[in-house]
Structures are given as structure tokens and as C-alpha cells.
């Protein structure tokens, strides 16, 4: 049975294992295989202007295996926004609804932060797989595209958002 929880620095080996199970992501966004420190970096790295304590990492566990990780920045880049920096599923468990379930868990947590918008960036070299997933979850491109450089990858990131609570039309 799938369970969710907050990840801490002590979970770095499990995050590292998850990254190594799905190396295609790291190759697409940085041009290299996962490095030994990447699991720890997911748990601690954030933008320099992020308020301390506003980086949250959530895990999806199947028995004793971390099968999904979500890195979410509270009130960044604006107080009304939560930014999803990473949502990645274990390579052996892709396509089984874990990403959607982990996103649903994030949706259950962020309302207490007072945000009204969820935001993320889609790296162009990862867009073929990422855009359909995020689109199904209600995210739409904002039109903002910024340069992106990581390792040997030189590309762009498209900013996508969705309201925290999706409205339904009464027509």
C-alpha cells in the first residue's frame, strides 16, 4: 500500500536510489548520470531567496521502497505561490499512478500555506514526457520561458501554473 510522508536528510540514500532508478531524467536535464550527492541535494538545495524552512520534500513509499519524491517550495517566488521543483517516480513504478497520487498528496498539504497557485518549470529537454503529465493535472503554460543551464545542457524552461482549486464553470 502506498504511503506518504515528509522526507528529511536521513532519507538521502532512498532519494539517491530513486534517482538512480530513473537516470533518464538526470540525463535529460543535466546531461549526465545521477551523481552520488544528488539525493542529498534534492533534499537541501533551493533558491537563495527562499525563506529558511520553506522547502518541503514529500515521499511516496511502497513498503520499504521510496517510489516517488516531490520537492515543493512554499510561498516562492511569491507569497501566494507554491513551486514544485521536482516530482519524480521510481523507474520501475512509472505509469502506475504514483505521480498523480503524490501530486494529490501535495494538493492536500499546500492549502495550509495560504497559497492559491501551484507553479513549476518544464525543462525543454524533458518536455516530451513532462508536458502531457502536467497538462492532465491542470497545469497550463504561462508563456514565460527562461534560459536554463545545468551541466552540459543548455536549453530553456517553460513556466506552467494551475490554481490551487480548479474552478468549474456552471454553464
Amino acid at each position: 500500500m502506498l504511503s506518504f510522508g515528509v522526507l528529511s536528510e536521513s532519507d538521502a540514500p532512498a532519494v539517491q536510489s530513486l534517482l538512480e532508478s530513473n537516470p533518464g531524467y538526470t540525463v535529460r536535464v543535466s546531461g549526465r548520470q545521477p551523481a552520488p550527492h544528488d539525493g542529498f541535494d534534492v533534499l537541501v538545495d533551493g533558491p537563495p531567496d527562499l525563506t529558511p524552512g520553506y522547502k518541503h520534500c514529500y515521499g511516496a513509499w511502497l513498503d520499504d521502497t521510496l517510489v516517488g519524491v516531490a520537492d515543493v517550495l512554499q510561498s516562492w517566488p511569491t507569497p501566494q505561490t507554491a513551486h514544485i521543483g521536482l516530482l519524480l517516480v521510481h523507474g520501475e513504478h512509472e505509469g502506475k499512478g504514483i505521480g498523480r497520487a503524490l501530486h494529490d498528496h501535495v494538493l492536500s498539504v499546500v492549502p495550509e500555506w495560504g497559497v492559491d497557485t501551484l507553479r513549476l518549470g518544464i525543462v525543454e529537454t524533458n518536455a516530451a514526457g513532462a508536458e502531457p503529465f502536467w497538462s492532465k493535472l491542470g497545469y497550463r503554460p504561462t508563456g514565460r520561458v527562461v534560459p536554463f543551464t545545468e551541466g552540459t545542457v543548455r536549453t530553456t524552461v517553460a513556466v506552467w501554473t494551475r490554481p490551487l482549486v480548479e474552478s468549474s464553470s456552471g454553464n
Side-chain angles (χ1 to χ4, degrees):
M1 172 168 239
L2 201 58
S3 62
F4 303 96
V6 176
L7 299 176
S8 69
E9 291 179 19
S10 66
D11 293 306
V15 176
Q16 185 69 32
S17 180
L18 185 145
L19 290 169
E20 291 172 0
S21 80
N22 199 340
Y25 170 78
T26 306
V27 169
R28 288 187 300 275
V29 301
S30 68
R32 63 169 173 78
Q33 295 292 316
H37 57 82
D38 286 348
F40 181 79
D41 291 350
V42 165
L43 297 169
V44 300
D45 284 354
D49 61 339
L50 182 67
T51 302
Y54 276 34
K55 177 181 174 83
H56 308 276
C57 290
Y58 302 99
W61 297 86
L62 188 58
D63 301 320
D64 293 333
T65 302
L66 182 67
V67 293
V69 63
D71 166 19
V72 187
L73 307 178
Q74 177 181 344
S75 301
W76 188 88
T78 69
Q80 302 80 25
T81 305
H83 180 86
I84 300 174
L86 174 69
L87 193 151
L88 187 66
V89 173
H90 191 286
E92 295 176 13
H93 298 276
E94 287 184 308
K96 298 179 181 176
I98 292 169
R100 178 180 287 276
L102 186 53
H103 182 263
D104 287 348
H105 177 73
V106 169
L107 288 176
S108 76
V109 173
V110 298
E112 65 193 49
W113 300 346
V115 301
D116 59 21
T117 302
L118 293 168
R119 175 185 191 265
L120 55 91
I122 297 179
V123 178
E124 178 58 34
T125 52
N126 193 49
E131 286 182 356
F133 173 78
W134 292 113
S135 182
K136 287 178 189 173
L137 295 176
Y139 290 82
R140 299 293 176 258
T142 64
R144 182 168 186 235
V145 178
V146 297
F148 177 84
T149 301
E150 178 70 29
T152 62
V153 174
R154 310 279 186 272
T155 188
T156 59
V157 170
V159 176
W160 288 42
T161 61
R162 69 161 268 180
L164 183 59
V165 177
E166 293 192 277
S167 61
S168 58
S169 63
N171 298 341

